[in-house]
Amino acid sequence: KMTTPVITSAVTASNGDDSSSDDTLGNSKQMAFVLPSTYWDGLDEAPRPLDGSGVSLQRKEAETRATIMFGGYATSASTEERKLELSKALQQSKEWSIATDGVDMDMAFSISQYNDPFTPPWRRLNEVSIKVVS
């Protein structure tokens, strides 16, 4: 059974985490899989990753994120378009502002994908999100 969403984020080489990989453009990416809520209270009960797999279990604290949803495949072009759209909306907002936490703006975005690879484009759900503060 697939966990959803699968979250892809850009990472810096200095983050000390060896679970990232380079895409075809040489950009370092990290993929996160959300475990079912039965494991949220303690990672001790979660299934252990295989040794040498490059997979690690990490707990991520809650944060407020602005999100824009879109269908189809999450291509580089479609995600860049949504990042720009979300950035413009947040620049016009009187209530919310982007919290980059000292990282490059492009690296602050995450892409969430909710469907398995065999789902046809017209039934796919994706999100581009970024951390915000009020």
Side-chain angles (χ1 to χ4, degrees):
K1 188 171 185 175
M2 184 175 157
T3 63
T4 61
V6 174
I7 304 167
T8 306
S9 303
V11 293
T12 60
S14 63
N15 75 348
D17 188 343
D18 64 352
S19 64
S20 64
S21 64
D22 291 346
D23 65 13
T24 56
L25 299 175
N27 300 315
S28 190
K29 303 282 184 185
Q30 186 173 55
M31 191 173 283
F33 300 89
V34 179
L35 292 177
S37 60
T38 55
Y39 301 118
W40 291 1
D41 289 332
L43 293 178
D44 295 337
E45 301 298 320
R48 303 276 83 180
L50 296 175
D51 290 337
S53 66
V55 175
S56 63
L57 295 178
Q58 299 174 357
R59 181 172 180 79
K60 185 166 173 74
E61 295 302 319
E63 60 188 19
T64 303
R65 298 186 71 83
T67 302
I68 189 164
M69 293 173 29
F70 63 101
Y73 290 111
T75 64
S76 294
S78 66
T79 56
E80 287 303 317
E81 182 181 331
R82 292 336 183 278
K83 286 178 187 179
L84 185 59
E85 188 178 346
L86 186 55
S87 294
K88 284 182 180 179
L90 289 169
Q91 287 171 355
Q92 296 172 357
S93 173
K94 294 182 186 341
E95 184 177 352
W96 301 101
S97 61
I98 295 172
T100 60
D101 295 336
V103 299
D104 179 78
M105 173 74 98
D106 196 50
M107 297 187 74
F109 285 96
S110 294
I111 296 36
S112 299
Q113 296 174 278
Y114 290 86
N115 304 99
D116 65 65
F118 305 108
T119 301
W122 60 90
R123 298 197 63 205
R124 298 182 72 81
L125 173 63
N126 310 293
E127 296 174 340
V128 168
S129 68
I130 193 164
K131 184 177 177 183
V132 293
V133 292
S134 60

